[in-house]
Amino acid sequence: VQLQASGGGLVQAGGSLRLSCAASGKFFKENAMGWYRQAPGLERELVAALTSEGSIDYKRSLKGRFTISRDGPENTVTLQMNSLKPEDTAVYYCHLVELGGINYGVEHWGKGTQVTVSS
């Protein structure tokens, strides 16, 4: 399984960025795709995840500013980030977990993409 991320970069506080992640290879059709982030000195944390059934989970403090969706090419998730704050600065990682089959629970990670929000 390969997760190819795009987007990210440098933006001023209050601005917006859009991250996309495309999954390829063999994985179970029931899955959850989403994004985690890790800031320097902190643990990796969930940003948002969306299951193939349509269930969505957000880090509570980000709900309302960040929106995850599966629109566009199949097996692609998009994270729209609005009203960005300096504390959103982190490396963002695309993530996929299989939710069925013999690989139930197997996690796949993409290479991180840097998001930097300047004050």
Side-chain angles (χ1 to χ4, degrees):
V1 177
Q2 291 191 330
L3 302 177
Q4 182 65 48
S6 60
L10 173 64
V11 66
Q12 287 189 331
S16 298
L17 283 174
R18 187 178 180 94
L19 303 180
S20 290
C21 178
S24 61
K26 280 191 171 182
F27 50 91
F28 200 75
K29 61 180 180 179
E30 290 180 20
N31 58 74
M33 285 186 69
W35 295 90
Y36 283 70
R37 69 185 185 184
Q38 187 167 20
L42 299 179
E43 293 187 353
R44 192 173 295 189
E45 62 178 4
L46 172 70
V47 174
L50 174 57
T51 74
S52 51
E53 302 300 314
S55 297
I56 298 177
D57 190 19
Y58 287 103
K59 176 179 169 65
R60 184 176 297 182
S61 62
L62 300 179
K63 199 172 181 179
R65 294 195 296 122
F66 288 18
T67 303
I68 191 169
S69 61
R70 285 196 195 222
D71 48 8
E74 190 175 2
N75 297 324
T76 299
V77 290
T78 299
L79 182 70
Q80 179 66 42
M81 305 184 291
N82 297 328
S83 302
L84 283 162
K85 304 175 181 180
E87 52 263 43
D88 294 318
T89 296
V91 177
Y92 285 68
Y93 295 91
C94 182
H95 174 262
L96 183 150
V97 58
E98 300 188 51
L99 299 178
I102 61 173
N103 287 336
Y104 181 88
V106 172
E107 297 180 274
H108 308 277
W109 294 92
K111 293 181 181 179
T113 185
Q114 179 70 44
V115 171
T116 303
V117 185
S118 62
S119 57

